[in-house]
Amino acid sequence: MKGRIHSIETMGLLDGPGIRTVVFLQGCPLRCQYCHNPDSQRVNGGHEMDSEEILNIVKRFKPYFKRSKGGVTVSGGEPLIQGDFLIELLQKIQREGICTVVDTSGFGDKSKYDEILKYTDLVLLDLKHFDPKEHMKLVKRPINMQEDFIKALLRNETRLWIRHVMVPGWTDNEESMKQLAKRILPLYDRVEKIEILPYMTFGEGKYDELGMEYELKGVDPMDKSRAKELENFLIEYLENQRNIKRVV
């Protein structure tokens, strides 16, 4: 089976545990205002590769994976929209004894979610926003489209890392972190890590090259130290809420 591939990064350090090969699938239903790779959005972009071609690339790095407890991360775009190809690729990678991670916003073909998660060791779940109206403004798709994937995560007891891109003027405050915590809390028992990713502007130039409008033009990068403060606040708040829930 062939999939559409945006690119492959062979020695990634930021998209899951250890050293990882990151396979970026082409196509995304979202139109995030801060997207760093707008060229990955078009479904018919990128180039075609079959799962065996990708597996042959991945296998060359098995010694690095073993030493660092790394593996393969399938990202995007949005990998869930190529459900059948993703399932086949994850199956083959797991047969090699390699850790599989799926980096997703939870928007795709819901009929494939359970099968995808069967072959996924860890999910990096990107929560864009918590408010339906603000979510729609930020990514141009309804927040409720993510609910089916969250239900699948709960059914499959999947290990999770939670990620949230923090944009100045959108969620850079404690009240927003409390609201985000409400969205995380049902999943919190299997959450291993929470990352607040500060908004950066280095993708802005790509929009000019592609003749696309960059809607966050003029918004300064998120202060990294402030983002870390709010990450710590979020984690502490979640711990307190879980303790309250257990007492009740």
Side-chain angles (χ1 to χ4, degrees):
M1 184 184 299
K2 290 185 179 290
R4 297 205 70 88
I5 310 301
H6 174 268
S7 57
I8 298 177
E9 179 183 342
T10 54
M11 296 289 279
L13 297 171
L14 301 175
D15 297 293
I19 295 172
R20 311 199 69 79
T21 293
V22 187
V23 182
F24 295 92
L25 300 191
Q26 179 71 26
C28 184
L30 307 183
R31 293 297 179 265
C32 302
Q33 292 191 34
Y34 50 74
C35 179
H36 290 156
N37 292 305
D39 53 317
S40 72
Q41 294 173 358
R42 291 187 301 110
V43 175
N44 60 352
H47 60 280
E48 286 191 338
M49 293 181 71
D50 64 41
S51 57
E52 203 63 32
E53 289 178 90
I54 296 172
L55 186 65
N56 288 335
I57 294 171
V58 165
K59 285 160 68 174
R60 300 204 304 262
F61 296 91
K62 285 182 75 172
Y64 297 99
F65 301 154
K66 188 173 182 179
R67 287 198 293 269
S68 70
K69 298 183 179 179
V72 176
T73 297
V74 186
S75 186
E78 172 49 70
L80 297 186
I81 68 171
Q82 296 192 52
D84 289 325
F85 177 74
L86 179 59
I87 290 165
E88 181 178 291
L89 180 60
L90 293 171
Q91 278 182 307
K92 290 184 176 182
I93 293 168
Q94 277 202 344
R95 284 176 191 151
E96 293 292 327
I98 298 170
C99 166
T100 57
V101 171
V102 173
D103 180 8
T104 177
S105 299
F107 289 75
D109 180 354
K110 65 182 181 180
S111 68
K112 304 291 193 302
Y113 291 166
D114 289 302
E115 191 72 6
I116 289 168
L117 293 174
K118 186 191 300 184
Y119 304 106
T120 303
D121 295 311
L122 174 70
V123 167
L124 310 185
L125 180 62
D126 186 1
L127 298 179
K128 307 293 186 179
H129 211 285
F130 49 83
D131 178 81
K133 290 182 179 178
E134 294 299 299
H135 189 279
M136 191 70 184
K137 285 197 291 186
L138 189 65
V139 306
K140 310 298 189 291
R141 293 294 183 273
I143 196 170
N144 60 10
M145 291 175 66
Q146 192 182 57
E147 295 303 323
D148 288 311
F149 188 67
I150 290 176
K151 290 175 184 176
L153 290 171
L154 290 167
R155 283 196 302 273
N156 290 276
E157 299 186 353
T158 307
R159 294 164 50 217
L160 286 168
W161 287 11
I162 299 291
R163 289 176 153 182
H164 171 70
V165 176
M166 181 172 284
V167 182
W170 286 77
T171 58
D172 54 334
N173 56 77
E174 292 183 357
E175 184 55 38
S176 290
M177 293 301 94
K178 291 178 182 179
Q179 295 304 315
L180 186 62
K182 291 179 182 178
R183 193 149 183 82
I184 297 171
L185 197 57
L187 298 163
Y188 194 50
D189 284 343
R190 75 274 317 263
V191 172
E192 298 180 352
K193 187 174 185 179
I194 293 176
E195 295 180 304
I196 298 296
L197 307 177
Y199 162 76
M200 306 297 288
T201 59
F202 55 73
E204 186 173 343
K206 294 183 181 179
Y207 287 78
D208 293 332
E209 294 172 10
L210 295 168
M212 298 170 64
E213 179 187 1
Y214 188 71
E215 296 184 59
L216 294 178
K217 190 177 288 290
V219 176
D220 292 331
M222 181 67 204
D223 180 83
K224 292 181 181 179
S225 61
R226 178 59 176 158
K228 189 64 179 178
E229 286 177 15
L230 289 168
E231 178 185 289
N232 292 335
F233 175 88
L234 173 61
I235 293 168
E236 184 177 349
Y237 184 81
L238 278 162
E239 287 293 326
N240 289 336
Q241 291 301 302
R242 178 164 63 180
N243 291 338
I244 291 169
K245 187 177 178 181
R246 284 173 176 169
V247 170
V248 172

